[in-house]
Amino acid sequence: MNSRREFLKLAMAGSTAAVAAPTAASAQAKPKRWGMLVDLRKCIGCQACTVACTIENDVPEGQHRTAVPVYELDGPDGPSQAVLPRLCNHCDEPPCIPVCPVNATFKTDEGAVVVEAEQCVACGYCVQACPYEARFINHKTGVADKCTFCVHRTSVGLLPACVETCVGNARVFGDLNDPESDIRKLMAQHETKGLRPEFKTGPNVYYIGLDDRLASTVAVGGGARDLRQGLETPAHGEV
Amino acid sequence: MPAVDLMSFDHEAVWRPWAVAYFLLVGTGAGAALLLAYARLVRVAEAKGALIVAASFALASGLPLLADLHQPARFMHFYSGAAPGSIMWWGSWFLPLFIGSTLLLAFMTGRRGNAPMCAGERTLTMIVGVLALCILGYTAGEMSVVSARPVWNTLGFPVVLILTA
């Protein structure tokens, strides 16, 4: 779905079909499996998605469910800027779920990984287990928090806030089980990559135009990180 | 040449120093309990010093663990359901059993004074030893299964953790 209107149309059509008597075809339809495709060629790093997510989900200052780190990479024509929008990858095999000692985190029928806040004891084990550093302990609620694909919006036919607000249509959200969905069509037309494939988690967030140097652990030297951490001499770290 | 970080975000450490204190205390307590069990198994000594260390460190270990939970009042959620796939859930059962049995053993030994050890106390000592192994196994396993942390996710890490305990 590349436009909000199409998404809403489809969602409303789906709701209407659910109210009406189900046909044999709809009864046999595959369940939805949400996924996101980020077209890095279109992302300008404006952080509108970061702000929209923060406002929509009341994320405390300094914490993020999604954000867009910006890096400088060396290329054949000199340095270039690279952006890497990051969020929970809603993995097929999420390492955060089996480690939870109180069954507070689970996958919805549509594949979104969510946290039941009232059940979470905030032990932080899931935060440690996530290779994408997509989880954190929310300073306001005191429990584990993460991107939910805006489950409160998608369950009523709306797009996630970050997709809704993306000025360049760089984020495409849709049903991976539907071969006619825009996300699937784009994936068929372009080479896509997921982050940190070495962990074999089956991420459901895909990227077009992802530089291999950003796909796995990003080795970072100098720059803003050193300034933030008050380092006098350039040091190398990993993010 | 690595990437230069123009704008990114840092994550705060989710396990605070309380977690380190817990691992230190429970590791020391479990190590002392193993020495106690060994000494009594081969009947070289009653090892009352090791028992005092095991009981006091086991008792103290629960405090930093609760302090590291961001929702300590919800600790009962560990026991309201089963999550056998999580090593931490197993640990939530091992820990109170270890603390309780170690304290009970200390009470029995103290009450007995210099009288000979009864069969019940000897059996309880072996139970404490087994539970100490469970404590060491769960703490080492809990960390070493986390593939997202390369240093933890090694074969040597649990060995080092157990030997230091």
Side-chain angles (χ1 to χ4, degrees):
Chain A
M1 263 154 255
N2 60 354
S3 78
R4 293 151 208 170
R5 191 167 298 172
E6 284 175 22
F7 184 86
L8 286 169
K9 271 187 199 167
L10 192 65
M12 289 172 72
S15 304
T16 310
V19 172
T23 63
S26 65
Q28 290 173 359
K30 276 180 133 181
K32 283 185 170 56
R33 186 165 70 92
W34 295 136
M36 190 180 289
L37 178 65
V38 184
D39 190 343
L40 295 176
R41 301 168 306 173
K42 293 182 175 179
C43 178
I44 58 171
C46 66
Q47 307 289 345
C49 52
T50 310
V51 175
C53 172
T54 299
I55 294 170
E56 177 71 26
N57 296 296
D58 195 21
V59 182
E61 186 180 349
Q63 298 189 300
H64 307 283
R65 288 186 178 190
T66 186
V68 186
V70 184
Y71 304 105
E72 179 185 298
L73 296 175
D74 264 350
D77 302 318
S80 62
Q81 179 177 296
V83 291
L84 182 62
R86 288 175 59 179
L87 63 154
C88 171
N89 283 263
H90 299 277
C91 310
D92 288 333
E93 300 291 335
C96 53
I97 289 183
V99 300
C100 179
V102 294
N103 298 317
T105 186
F106 59 94
K107 275 178 90 74
T108 66
D109 292 341
E110 291 81 24
V113 177
V114 295
V115 179
E116 187 182 349
E118 289 74 23
Q119 178 68 10
C120 178
V121 294
C123 63
Y125 202 10
C126 59
V127 181
Q128 299 282 20
C130 175
Y132 303 102
E133 297 184 349
R135 286 173 171 255
F136 56 93
I137 300 294
N138 186 306
H139 289 160
K140 279 185 191 167
T141 62
V143 297
D145 200 350
K146 63 183 287 301
C147 161
T148 64
F149 271 162
C150 278
V151 67
H152 60 291
R153 291 172 59 88
T154 53
S155 60
V156 293
L158 298 171
L159 286 166
C162 59
V163 179
E164 179 86 35
T165 200
C166 181
V167 294
N169 284 330
R171 294 192 184 219
V172 180
F173 179 81
D175 180 9
L176 294 170
N177 280 344
D178 178 6
E180 297 304 314
S181 65
D182 283 340
I183 186 172
R184 281 290 304 275
K185 286 179 182 171
L186 275 169
M187 289 175 70
Q189 291 166 6
H190 299 88
E191 182 193 4
T192 62
K193 295 175 186 171
L195 290 179
R196 310 198 79 170
E198 65 271 24
F199 285 101
K200 298 182 174 61
T201 58
N204 284 307
V205 174
Y206 302 87
Y207 295 85
I208 295 176
L210 178 64
D211 190 296
D212 285 336
R213 288 170 288 183
L214 300 179
S216 291
T217 301
V218 184
V220 172
R225 180 171 295 263
D226 284 358
L227 290 173
R228 276 202 307 277
Q229 297 177 348
L231 301 176
E232 293 178 0
T233 52
H236 291 179
E238 291 180 342
V239 290
Chain B
M1 165 95 185
V4 175
D5 172 22
L6 298 181
M7 188 175 70
S8 66
F9 51 94
D10 296 319
H11 294 280
E12 61 194 31
V14 66
W15 283 357
R16 297 168 293 184
W18 287 116
V20 181
Y22 166 69
F23 284 122
L24 178 69
L25 290 175
V26 83
T28 309
L34 283 178
L35 289 176
L36 166 76
Y38 174 76
R40 290 190 172 183
L41 184 68
V42 298
R43 304 190 183 202
V44 293
E46 284 213 18
K48 287 185 179 176
L51 177 56
I52 291 169
V53 171
S56 53
F57 277 70
L59 182 62
S61 66
L63 187 64
L65 187 61
L66 274 180
D68 198 52
L69 282 185
H70 296 256
Q71 295 285 348
R74 293 185 182 176
F75 78 95
M76 284 303 292
H77 289 192
F78 282 104
Y79 309 105
S80 60
S86 169
I87 295 178
M88 188 181 278
W89 179 78
W90 287 101
S92 72
W93 285 97
F94 292 148
L95 185 62
L97 288 173
F98 176 62
I99 295 173
S101 60
T102 311
L103 290 177
L104 179 61
L105 183 61
F107 175 75
M108 288 176 74
T109 303
R111 193 175 179 193
R112 167 169 59 83
N114 291 324
M117 197 183 305
C118 66
E121 189 178 340
R122 195 172 299 282
T123 305
L124 185 57
T125 304
M126 295 307 118
I127 291 172
V128 166
V130 170
L131 286 170
L133 282 175
C134 292
I135 289 288
L136 295 178
Y138 112 78
T139 47
E142 171 180 272
M143 297 178 75
S144 61
V145 297
V146 178
S147 57
R149 301 283 179 259
V151 176
W152 299 358
N153 190 226
T154 57
L155 286 175
F157 185 81
V159 176
V160 170
L161 205 69
I162 288 171
L163 287 179
T164 50

